[in-house]
Amino acid sequence: MRDTPLSNCERRFLLKAIEEKKRLDGRQTYDYRNIKISFGTDYGCCIVELGRTRVLGQVSCELVPPKDSRPTEGIMFFNLELSPMASPAFEPNRQSELLVMLNRQLERCLRNSKCIDTESLCVVSGEKVWQIRVDVHVLNHDGNLMDAASIAAISALSHFRRPDVAIQGRDITVFSPEERDPIPLSIYHMPICVSFAFFLQGSYLLVDPCEREERVKDGLLVIAMNKHREICSIQSSGGIMLLKDQVLRCSKIASVKVSEITELINKALENDRKIRKEGGKFGFAESMPKERITTLKRDEAPVEMTDVKETANEIVNRTETPTEAVSSPVLVAMGTAQVGEGIVNSWGLDEDEEDEPQTEDTKTDEVLVISDSEEEEVVILNEEAQKSTKPCKQK
């Protein structure tokens, strides 16, 4: 399944926004998206969230024979997978160009930079060494996979613990975590990748591009650096020519971002270590916000119903009887009304109607009185109406 291409309107809109130094998610030019690192129940398993991009890193180990060229060094193996679950553009069981580039860049960043002491992985020289395998699975793709993959890989390696071993002659005994505490890896430094996207032939630069920004980019520069400002690897793609000043400016920006991310990783590791030491709950389920977990079960609140009548009677006795009710609304102005005592009822009358003089017909009032016994209707006329009903005397 192929990914849906961008329309010309979307492309022009994105490029115009980049020219005005605006981004879709409201970030500035050099801002990273929010980074969240959470560790699983087992050592060496972590999930990194870079905005909407989610990457799972898993580290495992096994005893294997060493390479003939390096009999006293362990083996590091990296594997990155792109599944259709992350994006419809990824096809299963197929080596795409993006997958090959990401795997090579990850190996340059972590293995070729000698960030891990491989000699400490040797058990018996020339016979048995530890092979450390790092699997990186992309769970959701929203741009900048290289940075998220490097953070997930180095975080999982820092969190991983290998089993302890004992050697007696030619016999090698591997102890379980219950028998002996596992041993962490010896890590010299933490290389982290920082991606820079260039637009309009290198005229504009963005840090941590999202998926839509990557579609309209002209070139990409990935710098792998540690907090000591040592460049571990650098890779440029896209076919654009970069000036020396642009590369130096990107390296300065990368040094700041790498130091911040390294501090975040160390803080996450320290929190996980503290929780495990205190015996608290840890894992992916505990790291999820509680408000996102919904349930249909609700605790019933007990309500005492024995003295309901007594309480109701007390409330009724405390209330005072209302005074004389007044319901004479008065229209003070158009759209307003007033209820008061001794005010003439003029509800719904306009100012013009109030100023008109009353005619003789309107002065005649009829009052309907219904007796309780015989229910007879008696019409009482006012004084002016009675005078008008008397017969005229003839002269």
Side-chain angles (χ1 to χ4, degrees):
M1 182 177 180
R2 298 293 181 181
D3 198 3
T4 305
L6 282 179
S7 63
N8 294 333
C9 295
E10 288 180 294
R11 186 177 298 272
R12 287 193 296 266
F13 173 78
L14 290 171
L15 293 176
K16 186 64 176 178
I18 292 171
E19 290 180 5
E20 298 178 359
K21 297 182 179 181
K22 297 179 181 178
R23 307 182 73 169
L24 297 178
D25 48 9
R27 290 182 292 157
Q28 299 297 325
T29 304
Y30 302 140
D31 289 348
Y32 252 86
R33 288 171 289 182
N34 294 330
I35 301 176
K36 180 183 177 182
I37 302 174
S38 56
F39 297 101
T41 55
D42 297 333
Y43 285 109
C45 183
C46 76
I47 290 181
V48 174
E49 299 181 15
L50 181 60
R52 294 183 180 179
T53 301
R54 292 170 57 90
V55 176
L56 169 66
Q58 177 67 54
V59 180
S60 58
C61 65
E62 62 176 341
L63 288 173
V64 296
K67 295 182 180 180
D68 297 336
S69 58
R70 297 178 178 178
T72 61
E73 294 184 5
I75 301 174
M76 296 289 299
F77 180 76
F78 296 90
N79 179 40
L80 192 144
E81 294 183 0
L82 302 176
S83 64
M85 177 181 64
S87 175
F90 301 151
E91 298 181 5
N93 302 326
R94 185 174 180 179
Q95 292 286 337
S96 61
E97 183 180 356
L98 177 62
L99 180 59
V100 174
M101 183 189 69
L102 291 175
N103 272 302
R104 290 179 179 177
Q105 182 65 20
L106 191 63
E107 290 182 356
R108 292 195 196 100
C109 176
L110 297 176
R111 187 173 62 183
N112 298 348
S113 63
K114 303 293 182 180
C115 65
I116 297 177
D117 184 13
T118 55
E119 293 184 356
S120 63
L121 302 175
C122 179
V123 179
V124 179
S125 178
E127 294 184 6
K128 292 294 181 179
V129 296
W130 286 108
Q131 178 182 357
I132 305 299
R133 178 187 177 96
V134 182
D135 293 294
V136 179
H137 303 270
V138 179
L139 304 179
N140 189 40
H141 173 42
D142 191 32
N144 201 6
L145 292 178
M146 191 62 247
D147 294 13
S150 65
I151 297 172
I154 195 62
S155 300
L157 287 171
S158 303
H159 188 255
F160 178 69
R161 303 288 188 273
R162 66 172 179 83
D164 194 6
V165 295
I167 304 172
Q168 293 181 355
R170 290 182 174 273
D171 297 335
I172 300 174
T173 304
V174 180
F175 296 98
S176 63
E178 290 78 12
E179 296 174 344
R180 288 189 183 180
D181 293 336
I183 301 174
L185 300 178
S186 179
I187 299 178
Y188 294 135
H189 57 91
M190 293 183 180
I192 297 172
C193 294
V194 180
S195 300
F196 301 89
F198 293 91
F199 303 88
L200 301 176
Q201 299 301 320
S203 301
Y204 298 94
L205 167 69
L206 290 182
V207 178
D208 182 24
C210 64
E211 189 264 341
R212 290 189 176 273
E213 292 172 347
E214 286 183 347
R215 291 192 183 188
V216 298
K217 72 178 187 304
D218 293 335
L220 185 68
L221 178 66
V222 181
I223 299 177
M225 184 182 295
N226 56 23
K227 67 177 183 179
H228 307 293
R229 296 185 179 181
E230 297 173 350
I231 296 178
C232 303
S233 68
I234 185 169
Q235 180 179 356
S236 177
S237 60
I240 63 171
M241 297 185 64
L242 299 177
L243 301 177
K244 179 181 68 175
D245 296 337
Q246 289 178 318
V247 178
L248 291 176
R249 184 178 65 173
C250 292
S251 64
K252 292 180 181 179
I253 298 172
S255 63
V256 177
K257 300 300 179 183
V258 166
S259 61
E260 295 176 355
I261 297 174
T262 304
E263 184 179 356
L264 178 63
I265 295 174
N266 292 331
K267 185 177 180 181
L269 291 170
E270 183 65 25
N271 292 337
D272 182 79
R273 192 181 305 110
K274 183 178 179 181
I275 293 175
R276 291 174 185 268
K277 185 177 180 180
E278 295 177 354
K281 296 181 180 180
F282 51 87
F284 295 140
E286 299 299 328
S287 63
M288 295 178 61
K290 299 300 181 184
E291 60 268 17
R292 294 187 181 181
I293 302 178
T294 58
T295 179
L296 298 178
K297 183 178 179 181
R298 180 179 297 177
D299 297 334
E300 296 182 357
V303 179
E304 186 66 29
M305 302 292 292
T306 57
D307 57 346
V308 174
K309 293 183 178 180
E310 298 178 359
T311 306
N313 292 332
E314 292 179 1
I315 296 175
V316 171
N317 295 331
R318 285 199 304 266
T319 57
E320 298 178 357
T321 57
T323 57
E324 183 179 358
V326 179
S327 58
S328 301
V330 176
L331 186 64
V332 180
M334 295 302 296
T336 62
Q338 178 183 352
V339 177
E341 185 178 358
I343 304 179
V344 183
N345 183 3
S346 61
W347 182 270
L349 298 178
D350 297 337
E351 295 180 357
D352 299 335
E353 297 179 1
E354 294 179 357
D355 298 338
E356 292 180 358
Q358 297 182 353
T359 59
E360 294 182 0
D361 297 338
T362 59
K363 293 180 180 179
T364 303
D365 297 335
E366 295 183 356
V367 180
L368 181 63
V369 179
I370 301 176
S371 61
D372 297 335
S373 59
E374 300 177 357
E375 296 183 358
E376 296 178 357
E377 296 182 0
V378 181
V379 178
I380 301 176
L381 303 179
N382 55 12
E383 297 178 359
E384 296 180 0
Q386 292 177 0
K387 294 180 180 180
S388 61
T389 54
K390 292 181 179 180
C392 298
K393 296 181 179 181
Q394 295 180 359
K395 294 181 180 180

